[in-house]
Amino acid sequence: MEAVRGRFFDLRSAHGAKAPSGLEGASFGLGLVGAKASARFIALRDHIKVPCILDSAASARSIATSATPLDYSELTGMLGPEIYHRDALSLGAAASLSASCYIEAHDTAALEAVAESSSRIDSGGVIASVALDVKWLRNDAVDELIEVLRGISRPVALTLGGQFNPTDAHTTSIPNLRRIYRECGHVGLWRVDVLVGFDAMVHGALFAGIGNSGTLRHLVPPDEKPRFGGGGGRPAVYIPKLMQYFSLDTLTDRWTQVGGLICDCPVCEGRAPTWMAELSEGMRAAAADHNLWCWLRLWEELDEGSSAERASRLADRIVAAVEAHTEESERVGALGAFKPSPTLATMAKLAALTPEAARTPAP
C-alpha cells in the first residue's frame, strides 16, 4: 500500500465533486466519499494527478453488530465485497475503504467483527475502515482498541465519531491517538481537520484524510442527528494563524470594525476570507478551495528536515496559534472573542509540559 503511505488526502463528497486544482506531488492525494464514489472517480480520473482513495461512507449509514459488521448492500447487492474492491482497482483507484459499519462505544464484539471481516476480504487495494465512537480513545478503552487494530492484516483508516470535533470531547484523545500510531504502525486517520491530521502525520500515522467540509471532518453516529454550531448554514474557513476553522458568520461579526486577517491564497488574493460571505453562489466551493490551499501551504512550511524536526516545528506553531487567539481577541476589542478549541489547547499543553515527547514522532 505504498501509494498511500505518507500522504495527506483531500476528502471531497462524491456528490458533485470536482478535481481540486493545486493538488499534486508526493505528499498528497484525493479521497472521494459517498456511495457514488466509484462513479465520480470515473468522471474525474483523467483530471486527477494524485492517488485516489474511494470511501463508500458505509459507516455513516448503520451501526455495526457482531452479525453485521460490514454493509455492501448499496454497492454490490448480493455480489460481495470482492467485486466492489476489484472494480475500484480496475478503474485506477489507489485503494478503497472496506464498507464497515459504525462501532459504538464499548461494543467489543462489533469491533472484533469489523476487524476480522475486513481482514478476510479477498482483494488487494483494500484499506480496513474502522469508524468508531471517540470514547474508544479514553484510557479505559484504548488498550483494547490497540490490541484489535494490531490484529488487522491490512492498512487501517481510523475514523472518529461524535458531534462537532470528536477529539474535543476527551483530553485523552490526542495522547492516545499518538499511542495508536506508535504502537500499530499501519493506521491512518480519516475524516479529520487540519490540526488533527497534521498531528497524526508527524507522530507516525500511515496517512491522513482531511475533510474539505464540516461533514467530512468528523463522523456523526448514524443514529444521531447532526448538531450545528450556529454557523448560519455558511461554510467554515480555515485561518492558518489560529490553526482553526471559523464560520463565515462568526468572522464577519468579529471583524466588522477592525478588518480581518489577510489571506494570500490563490482564492482570497490578499483579502480577508470574509469576502466569501458576499457570494450568492459558489460560497462553499470557494471555502473548500481556500481551506485546501491553506493547509497545502502550511504543510510545505512544516515538511522540511527530519521527522523530529517536523514534529518540533508543528508543536511550535501550535503554541503560537494559542497565543494568537489572545492577540486577535485583543485586536478586535473583545476578551475571549477567539478561543482555542479544546484539541488545540490540549496539544499546546502537551508541547509545553512535555516538549521532548510532544516533538518526537514515532520511529
Side-chain angles (χ1 to χ4, degrees):
M1 201 64 72
E2 291 304 311
V4 304
R5 182 182 299 277
R7 290 184 184 264
F8 287 99
F9 288 83
D10 177 46
L11 305 188
R12 304 214 164 198
S13 169
H15 179 71
K18 297 180 180 179
S21 61
L23 191 66
E24 54 188 65
S27 296
F28 308 113
L30 176 67
L32 293 175
V33 183
K36 303 296 182 181
S38 294
R40 198 62 190 160
F41 177 68
I42 293 173
L44 297 178
R45 60 184 171 183
D46 290 341
H47 307 285
I48 297 173
K49 302 178 182 179
V50 291
C52 184
I53 294 177
L54 306 183
D55 175 8
S56 70
S59 55
R61 295 192 288 271
S62 57
I63 300 294
T65 67
S66 58
T68 311
L70 312 182
D71 183 6
Y72 285 83
S73 59
E74 289 191 28
L75 305 174
T76 66
M78 300 300 293
L79 296 178
E82 286 77 13
I83 298 297
Y84 170 74
H85 293 294
R86 289 171 187 171
D87 284 350
L89 285 180
S90 69
L91 294 174
S96 53
L97 266 60
S98 62
S100 306
C101 301
Y102 181 84
I103 305 163
E104 294 184 301
H106 311 299
D107 194 341
T108 302
L111 174 64
E112 292 175 341
V114 166
E116 182 180 355
S117 298
S118 297
S119 294
R120 284 204 310 262
I121 297 172
D122 186 18
S123 178
V126 181
I127 296 174
S129 171
V130 178
L132 40 68
D133 192 305
V134 71
K135 293 185 182 69
W136 280 99
L137 295 181
R138 296 192 310 195
N139 288 338
D140 61 355
V142 70
D143 288 342
E144 184 175 27
L145 175 60
I146 289 173
E147 182 179 358
V148 174
L149 292 177
R150 281 176 172 171
I152 298 176
S153 62
R154 53 186 5 120
V156 173
L158 183 65
T159 302
L160 305 177
Q163 298 287 345
F164 307 112
N165 183 7
T167 57
D168 286 348
H170 307 289
T171 58
T172 60
S173 296
I174 296 304
N176 283 334
L177 279 172
R178 293 177 182 178
R179 270 196 65 195
I180 289 171
Y181 313 140
R182 183 173 63 250
E183 296 181 26
C184 295
H186 66 313
V187 174
L189 198 58
W190 201 244
R191 293 180 70 152
V192 293
D193 61 20
V194 174
L195 178 64
V196 180
F198 278 21
D199 191 75
M201 290 296 282
V202 302
H203 286 92
L206 184 64
F207 54 80
I210 296 176
N212 81 337
S213 66
T215 57
L216 294 180
R217 287 193 282 272
H218 70 286
L219 179 62
V220 175
D223 58 349
E224 296 182 18
K225 291 183 178 180
R227 299 201 299 267
F228 300 99
R234 293 183 176 181
V237 294
Y238 184 72
I239 307 301
K241 183 177 181 180
L242 305 176
M243 296 195 79
Q244 198 159 306
Y245 296 86
F246 296 89
S247 75
L248 283 174
D249 282 354
T250 296
L251 294 177
T252 299
D253 176 64
R254 294 174 189 174
W255 285 345
T256 297
Q257 301 299 323
V258 299
L261 296 175
I262 298 302
C263 177
D264 64 354
C265 80
V267 179
C268 294
E269 298 181 322
R271 296 171 286 182
T274 45
W275 73 268
M276 300 177 208
E278 302 173 5
L279 295 176
S280 57
E281 295 182 5
M283 183 188 302
R284 293 190 178 281
D289 288 342
H290 158 86
N291 292 343
L292 172 62
W293 278 106
C294 284
W295 69 256
L296 288 176
R297 286 185 169 181
L298 180 57
W299 184 248
E300 288 176 355
E301 295 174 12
L302 295 171
D303 189 24
E304 296 180 2
S306 66
S307 296
E309 289 170 333
R310 289 196 297 271
S312 178
R313 198 174 295 118
L314 176 60
D316 290 340
R317 288 294 294 262
I318 287 169
V319 171
V322 170
E323 295 171 352
H325 280 75
T326 301
E327 295 168 0
E328 191 62 10
S329 295
E330 293 173 350
R331 189 178 76 88
V332 303
L335 184 65
F338 291 87
K339 295 181 180 180
S341 70
T343 297
L344 180 60
T346 293
M347 289 184 182
K349 288 178 181 178
L350 289 171
L353 294 175
T354 55
E356 293 304 318
R359 288 164 166 73
T360 306

